[in-house]
Amino acid sequence: MITKSLVLTYFYLLIYITLSSGVILYNKWVLSPKYFNFPFPITLTMIHMAFSGSVAFLLIRVFKVVSPVKMTFRIYATSVIPISAFFASSLWFGNTAYLHISVAFIQVLKALMPVATFVVAVLCGTDKLRWDVFLNMVLVSVGVVISSYGEIHFNVIGTVYQVTGIFAEALRLVLTQVLLQKKGLSLNPITSLYYIAPCSFVFLFVPWYFLEKAGMDISQIQFNFWIFFSNAVCALMLNFSIFLVIGRTGAVTVRVAGVLKDWILIALSTVVFPESMITGLNIIGYAIALCGVVLYNYLKVREARTSSQTTEGSIPDRVIKDWKLEKKKSSDVYWPEGGSNEEANGALSASNFGVDEETPLILSSAGRLSHIGRNQQSGRSG
């Protein structure tokens, strides 16, 4: 039966897929010398950061839509600054790749994101080396290699930029978990923009000064305000849409929608940019890599469910012991027959999922839910 809630859910998913695909195609169109001809990816990224930071400032300080978190100088210096550095790097390298390789091939390379995150997490000690996940990562890598071999317009420079951006994003994700979430600091999309966007802007200023400033001084590029304004608005709305979709459906649904979005984007890119050609080897390689990504998602879902079931079994035991102790002290204390921990379990299951790689400003809405879940559990077990 079609309900209003179901229709609204699919509407949110449609907005997410549309914005996510639109931002990528829009960035490619703006940066490509064959179209709008603004070959300055660092400048475009700085425009996004300035706009996002300004909107976040207005929402927090002027309109007071949300309240800022308790951010100390030590946390900002040791956590926000390094995270912002890798975030700025991932956007810089990722946007530069648009100048050299096609959108379709970029989506193929983005299948390496789970591989990069797993490698970085193991090296940083936040994850353990498991053979099932390792073999899964090998499958993804083999698929990407096959697809790369079939790429007609293969470009080494563009590939290096994109892969470097992927590993920078993986480092940002791991650092977010290590430096922020373990300190109990949770940022929603607005507060993350408020703290990270200005810092990322400063980091981007350094390479911009040495790599793009001179080129912009001598070029005859006409600055179109509405093009850059609408582009920045789309990027900002994408950040908010992923947060709404996760809150409405869950991170698993977002991952499935992300897979659908990738196929749609690959097909659309060949229509919007006719010079982008897809070969049979491209499709076969990406299909193999996609199988690895889907299997990886399945392993994470199974791991999350196992973790939540363990939590569900252990927490009531501790609570019952406390209740029994209280019952011995006072016969007036009510000892309930059972309790529900679904909200905390849902939070735990969400903690293992990240967000769309096009929305790195959201530190981790899933991580924020995980932190809430842990607080609820500790409160119930105390």
Side-chain angles (χ1 to χ4, degrees):
M1 180 179 179
I2 300 178
T3 63
K4 182 179 179 181
S5 177
L6 183 63
V7 172
L8 194 59
T9 298
Y10 280 107
F11 178 69
Y12 283 161
L13 287 172
L14 179 62
I15 291 177
Y16 157 68
I17 293 175
T18 302
L19 284 173
S20 183
S21 303
V23 167
I24 294 173
L25 294 174
Y26 204 167
N27 286 347
K28 173 68 174 180
W29 182 82
V30 170
L31 293 170
S32 177
K34 295 182 179 180
Y35 297 95
F36 186 71
N37 190 26
F38 187 80
F40 301 105
I42 303 177
T43 305
L44 183 64
T45 308
M46 290 177 69
I47 292 174
H48 290 175
M49 295 298 97
F51 180 77
S52 299
S54 300
V55 171
F57 178 84
L58 291 175
L59 292 176
I60 291 177
R61 294 298 181 183
V62 179
F63 299 106
K64 301 187 184 300
V65 176
V66 295
S67 300
V69 300
K70 294 181 179 179
M71 178 72 68
T72 64
F73 176 79
R74 181 178 180 182
I75 293 178
Y76 192 88
T78 60
S79 300
V80 175
I81 289 180
I83 289 172
S84 299
F86 284 108
F87 171 47
S89 300
S90 67
L91 293 181
W92 167 22
F93 295 129
N95 283 337
T96 304
Y98 287 118
L99 298 175
H100 305 280
I101 54 181
S102 66
V103 171
F105 188 50
I106 286 175
Q107 295 308 117
V108 172
L109 292 176
K110 283 182 179 180
L112 289 172
M113 190 66 213
V115 179
T117 305
F118 176 70
V119 170
V120 172
V122 171
L123 292 176
C124 293
T126 61
D127 201 352
K128 295 181 180 180
L129 180 61
R130 293 165 41 193
W131 285 108
D132 55 348
V133 178
F134 176 76
L135 294 176
N136 182 261
M137 298 298 100
V138 171
L139 179 64
V140 174
S141 302
V142 168
V144 172
V145 170
I146 293 175
S147 186
S148 301
Y149 184 77
E151 176 66 17
I152 296 178
H153 304 292
F154 182 82
N155 184 285
V156 176
I157 296 176
T159 303
V160 170
Y161 268 120
Q162 183 60 42
V163 173
T164 304
I166 289 172
F167 274 91
E169 174 65 6
L171 281 166
R172 185 199 68 81
L173 291 173
V174 174
L175 282 177
T176 299
Q177 179 183 0
V178 173
L179 299 179
L180 285 183
Q181 293 176 8
K182 288 188 176 180
K183 293 179 180 179
L185 183 65
S186 57
L187 301 177
N188 61 40
I190 299 176
T191 52
S192 64
L193 288 168
Y194 178 74
Y195 291 108
I196 290 183
C199 190
S200 298
F201 181 92
V202 174
F203 276 110
L204 289 168
F205 180 82
V206 177
W208 172 82
Y209 184 83
F210 290 102
L211 299 177
E212 293 188 0
K213 181 178 181 296
M216 296 184 70
D217 289 341
I218 62 176
S219 65
Q220 301 297 323
I221 296 177
Q222 182 178 0
F223 188 90
N224 190 315
F225 170 80
W226 293 110
I227 291 293
F228 292 102
F229 176 74
S230 59
N231 183 259
V233 169
C234 289
L236 179 66
M237 294 304 296
L238 177 58
N239 278 274
F240 293 143
S241 72
I242 186 67
F243 180 75
L244 291 175
V245 170
I246 288 181
R248 182 80 186 180
T249 63
V252 180
T253 305
V254 173
R255 282 177 178 259
V256 176
V259 172
L260 176 62
K261 180 262 299 182
D262 288 341
W263 283 107
I264 294 175
L265 188 55
I266 289 175
L268 277 178
S269 65
T270 60
V271 176
V272 178
F273 308 108
E275 68 276 8
S276 299
M277 299 181 62
I278 300 177
T279 65
L281 207 55
N282 281 141
I283 298 175
I284 293 173
Y286 184 67
I288 294 174
L290 185 62
C291 289
V293 173
V294 172
L295 182 58
Y296 172 79
N297 290 341
Y298 168 75
L299 292 175
K300 299 302 290 184
V301 171
R302 188 180 64 178
E303 180 183 345
R305 287 178 177 173
T306 302
S307 176
S308 62
Q309 288 173 359
T310 303
T311 305
E312 186 178 5
S314 59
I315 291 178
D317 290 340
R318 295 196 302 270
V319 175
I320 288 173
K321 290 179 180 179
D322 292 339
W323 280 333
K324 284 183 177 180
L325 181 60
E326 291 295 327
K327 189 178 181 182
K328 289 180 181 179
K329 294 179 179 179
S330 173
S331 59
D332 297 331
V333 177
Y334 172 63
W335 185 20
E337 296 296 329
S340 173
N341 198 36
E342 293 179 359
E343 187 177 359
N345 290 338
L348 275 177
S349 64
S351 67
N352 289 310
F353 304 102
V355 295
D356 189 272
E357 63 272 16
E358 277 76 51
T359 59
L361 279 175
I362 301 178
L363 290 181
S364 179
S365 57
R368 178 182 61 83
L369 294 175
S370 175
H371 175 64
I372 295 174
R374 288 194 297 268
N375 286 345
Q376 291 171 338
Q377 293 166 7
S378 62
R380 294 179 183 179
S381 62

